[in-house]
Amino acid sequence: MIEELVDSLLLEGYALYPYTPGAHKNATPTPFGIVYPAGYEYGFDHLRLECLVRGEDPRVEVEVRFLQASGDRHRAVERRVGVGAIDLPPLRAEVTLGVEALEPGLRRVTLTIVNRTAFGGGTRAEALERSLISTHPLLRVAGGTFVSPLEARVCENVNTWPVLAAPDDTVILGAAIVLPDHPRLAPESRGSLFDGTEIEEALLLHVHALSDAEREEIASGDPAVREMVERALASTPEDIVRLHGLMRPADAVPEAPPVPPRPRAAPATEREATVEGRTFRLGDRLVLRLAGRIDTYDRMLDGRTATLERIYIDYDDRVHLGVTIDDDPGQELMRETGRFHFFSAGEVELVPRGSERHGGSR
């Protein structure tokens, strides 16, 4: 499961829909977790992962997985390295591991990846040719267990988001995106789509909507993208339906005593406000004068009669009038949920109190 998870994360952003080699947004790799050369000023030139491990004699092993640019546009190859120097021309980097005792049975582990590739400046595409792309460190421990990095307050991480990745807490994954501890792939997933932070159901449908010309262009391009598209095209309607709106019950937990409902407190609001000689009070009826607004919906409300529900005065002493529309069938619902239309005093006309006027004025 960890291998499948890392495989999916490693190719996140490798190629974006519509997946054609000629697509402008696929001109360069777009994954997260990039360790740029020091000469590139718009990104990190290192990655540091700190975590805590418990045990009397823990032994930590390191594997770093990343992509290295290879060929034209977004194409890249996967690399796996351990602690030590990285010499993959033109890429030069170094992986170091340190262990520091904090107290009996507790140690802090520090993994550092530094890009030492020479780079005299240039474009992002040129910097990516000398970068570790989609960098994902894996730390495995024998003779101990890791503490959740989400709870470790004495650790500092740069350019990575470490989480527990094994059920027995013996593996730390330094993810390039934000994940919870013990992340899992949904069993319904059809596999990596390179754009995995998007909705998989939508991506499958997008791939099915590719034209014949686009498919031919893909078939002659990057083999990794071609394989992904072919796998997505092989998905059935049943596969796609299984990806739609699935909910699972949470793990069984002791039933908590019921919590009595609390009445919703009305938000703080003014009872009345005077603007340029006109006094507005809660419950007043107003005619909206919105001919000066360009929003289509606001123009539809022009001339309609509304009831003043809330008066707010901001820090600059500006008055904001929250109203509901009198002939709106959802007026009571808007009141109950506290959702109002807001206008300034200059956009409304006061209806004289005691007037029997109802509904819109048009």
Side-chain angles (χ1 to χ4, degrees):
M1 173 59 92
I2 293 175
E3 284 294 310
E4 293 177 357
L5 174 64
V6 178
D7 285 342
S8 178
L9 295 171
L10 194 69
L11 294 171
E12 170 62 41
Y14 178 75
L16 303 179
Y17 178 79
Y19 302 110
T20 53
H24 177 71
K25 63 182 179 180
N26 282 333
T28 59
T30 54
F32 306 100
I34 298 175
V35 183
Y36 289 98
Y40 186 69
E41 61 181 326
Y42 300 110
F44 292 102
D45 66 349
H46 67 285
L47 178 153
R48 183 171 69 245
L49 188 159
E50 293 185 354
C51 59
L52 301 181
V53 61
R54 297 189 184 279
E56 295 305 318
D57 185 26
R59 297 172 300 284
V60 178
E61 294 184 354
V62 173
E63 179 184 43
V64 179
R65 295 180 60 180
F66 64 95
L67 300 177
Q68 181 181 8
S70 173
D72 297 332
R73 301 175 73 82
H74 64 260
R75 191 174 303 191
V77 295
E78 180 184 344
R79 303 296 191 187
R80 300 189 186 210
V81 300
V83 173
I86 299 174
D87 186 5
L88 298 167
L91 184 63
R92 301 284 192 277
E94 185 176 12
V95 180
T96 60
L97 181 70
V99 180
E100 171 191 5
L102 298 181
E103 60 183 59
L106 182 66
R107 292 170 172 81
R108 177 164 53 203
V109 177
T110 302
L111 172 73
T112 305
I113 304 170
V114 179
N115 190 339
R116 303 194 184 281
T117 308
F119 183 66
T123 65
R124 178 177 181 271
E126 292 169 332
L128 287 171
E129 294 176 357
R130 295 163 174 79
S131 299
L132 289 78
I133 301 171
S134 190
T135 313
H136 283 79
L138 280 166
L139 279 66
R140 295 181 171 87
V141 63
T145 57
F146 289 111
V147 176
S148 169
L150 304 181
E151 301 174 1
R153 305 301 181 189
V154 295
C155 295
E156 181 179 357
N157 295 283
V158 177
N159 203 14
T160 189
W161 181 270
V163 293
L164 296 171
D168 59 359
D169 296 346
T170 59
V171 179
I172 288 283
L173 166 65
I177 61 175
V178 175
L179 293 175
D181 281 333
H182 309 112
R184 294 179 294 173
L185 295 174
E188 296 80 10
S189 173
R190 301 295 298 170
S192 171
L193 290 173
F194 307 159
D195 212 357
T197 55
E198 298 292 339
I199 300 171
E200 184 170 337
E201 176 192 14
L203 288 172
L204 289 178
L205 292 171
H206 289 165
V207 173
H208 278 269
L210 289 169
S211 68
D212 291 341
E214 288 172 325
R215 294 177 188 177
E216 290 176 5
E217 186 179 0
I218 289 168
S220 62
D222 189 337
V225 180
R226 180 172 64 247
E227 186 278 331
M228 181 281 303
V229 170
E230 291 174 350
R231 176 163 34 84
L233 288 171
S235 60
T236 66
E238 291 75 19
D239 294 331
I240 296 175
V241 168
R242 279 193 290 270
L243 290 168
H244 181 70
L246 180 66
M247 297 183 65
R248 295 188 182 89
D251 296 336
V253 295
E255 185 175 351
V259 178
R262 294 183 299 174
R264 184 174 65 86
T269 182
E270 303 290 334
R271 302 294 303 176
E272 65 177 49
T274 300
V275 181
E276 296 180 351
R278 292 188 299 166
T279 299
F280 298 90
R281 297 184 178 87
L282 295 183
D284 279 348
R285 295 181 54 246
L286 314 170
V287 178
L288 305 180
R289 300 302 185 193
L290 308 175
R293 290 203 175 193
I294 62 174
D295 182 84
T296 302
Y297 187 67
D298 288 338
R299 296 293 293 271
M300 291 173 62
L301 295 179
D302 183 36
R304 304 276 284 277
T305 305
T307 298
L308 182 56
E309 310 283 356
R310 292 285 186 270
I311 301 173
Y312 294 110
I313 301 178
D314 65 20
Y315 289 107
D316 296 321
D317 292 327
R318 291 176 297 191
V319 175
H320 304 272
L321 306 176
V323 307
T324 57
I325 309 304
D326 287 345
D327 59 354
D328 184 347
Q331 186 179 37
E332 288 301 321
L333 178 62
M334 301 293 277
R335 285 182 177 134
E336 292 174 4
T337 58
R339 298 176 65 87
F340 307 114
H341 302 278
F342 285 91
F343 304 102
S344 67
E347 296 175 311
V348 301
E349 172 188 324
L350 269 168
V351 175
R353 296 180 182 89
S355 170
E356 298 300 321
R357 183 180 179 184
H358 293 282
S361 64
R362 293 182 292 185

